[in-house]
Amino acid sequence: MTFLSPERLWLLGVLPALAAVYVLLQLRRGRHAVRFTNLALLSQIAPRRPGWRRHVAAALFLIMITLMMIGFARPADSVKVPRDRATILVAIDVSLSMMARDVPPSRFDAAKAAAKNFIGELPGRFNVGVVAFAGSANLIAAPSADRGAAIASIDQLVLAKRTAIGEAVFTSLQAVRSFDAEASQDPPPAHIVLLSDGDNTTGRSVQEAVDASRAAHVPVSTIAFGTPYGTVDIEGETTSVSVNKETLRSLADSTEGKAYEAADADQLREVYANIGTSLGFKTEHRDVAARYTGIALLFALAAGGASLAWFSRLP
């Protein structure tokens, strides 16, 4: 529990003093009782002593005071609050190596299907944009809540030469910084999901992309498409295009993202869960003083009811 006004807790120091005063009064009352030497006569003329019941109202009263003092210090609970501006950029590799069919029906088609499925399953509170990258990177769907526009942009993708993973990250970060009028000074919480077979052959380096992502506090999660045995036919020549999982894992690990493999359906489902918990909510401390005040009132009513029932008077 967190207290929004912890300096007010000093009032709790009064409670031991109140308890001590009560105990002293009870001891003094006991000493007065033993002054009567004829105990048999005393038992006849004095009303029956209430025993333990006489302490119940006092105990309930002290609990009530304790709860009210805690409430006065403004206790707060940690709660998860949805982030309305949370933004995800899906960056898709459209380089020629994605033609390889080692991931059926091809790396490219598998990546498009995974991206559309990912976008379709995201909660409505997320904004989503799409970046396509080959020799350069382009924002083909600006971040918004329009899932249809994002998915339609993926259907229009075409393959091109070379692979610029670093540029894909920089373009995604720029989309985050231009999300709305406040984004340049107060960027929305964001996450980049990059789908690729892993080789960076042009543009800025992966390390430069890592540095930029860390500076912007935007994690990059990667999904690797491909196997060590992929090949493509380019201009009549068969070229080996082995997946570079190490590059993608390094990018993810260095930016506090997660690295996944497209061949593992369970891992792909983890993407939604991990991003949803890390990006979709923020923790806030909310004042719950009213909760303690309400419980204190219940104890006050209990103390008053007990005193009226047993002694026909209020404490």
Side-chain angles (χ1 to χ4, degrees), residues 19-33 49-51 54-55 58 313:
V21 169
Y22 178 77
V23 171
L24 288 173
L25 290 175
Q26 295 303 310
L27 292 174
R28 178 177 295 182
R29 182 177 298 175
R31 286 198 299 269
H32 287 314
R49 298 182 65 185
R54 71 178 185 273
H55 303 301
R313 59 182 175 80

Side-chain angles (χ1 to χ4, degrees), residues 76-84 125 272-286 288:
D77 277 349
S78 297
V79 295
K80 285 187 174 182
V81 181
R83 287 172 157 172
D84 295 333
R125 65 180 177 273
Y272 315 127
N274 288 336
I275 292 178
T277 54
S278 65
L279 179 65
F281 297 90
K282 60 182 177 180
T283 301
E284 289 186 353
H285 296 297
R286 293 199 170 175
V288 293

Side-chain angles (χ1 to χ4, degrees), residues 56 142 154 176:
V56 171
I154 294 172
V176 173

Side-chain angles (χ1 to χ4, degrees), residues 53-159:
R53 290 182 299 175
R54 71 178 185 273
H55 303 301
V56 171
L60 292 173
F61 179 80
L62 285 176
I63 294 173
M64 176 201 71
I65 292 295
T66 301
L67 291 169
M68 292 187 69
M69 288 179 177
I70 292 174
F72 184 60
R74 301 177 63 202
D77 277 349
S78 297
V79 295
K80 285 187 174 182
V81 181
R83 287 172 157 172
D84 295 333
R85 298 172 71 220
T87 300
I88 293 176
L89 270 298
V90 179
I92 305 175
D93 187 346
V94 295
S95 62
L96 293 178
S97 62
M98 294 291 284
M99 289 191 302
R101 298 185 180 277
D102 52 341
V103 177
S106 70
R107 296 179 183 180
F108 184 48
D109 289 330
K112 290 196 298 181
K116 290 191 288 186
N117 185 50
F118 174 74
I119 291 170
E121 292 196 24
L122 283 174
R125 65 180 177 273
F126 290 107
N127 298 289
V128 61
V130 181
V131 170
F133 64 98
S136 60
N138 298 288
L139 180 67
I140 60 174
S144 73
D146 188 346
R147 301 289 189 267
I151 290 173
S153 71
I154 294 172
D155 288 329
Q156 304 302 315
L157 293 174
V158 294
L159 296 171

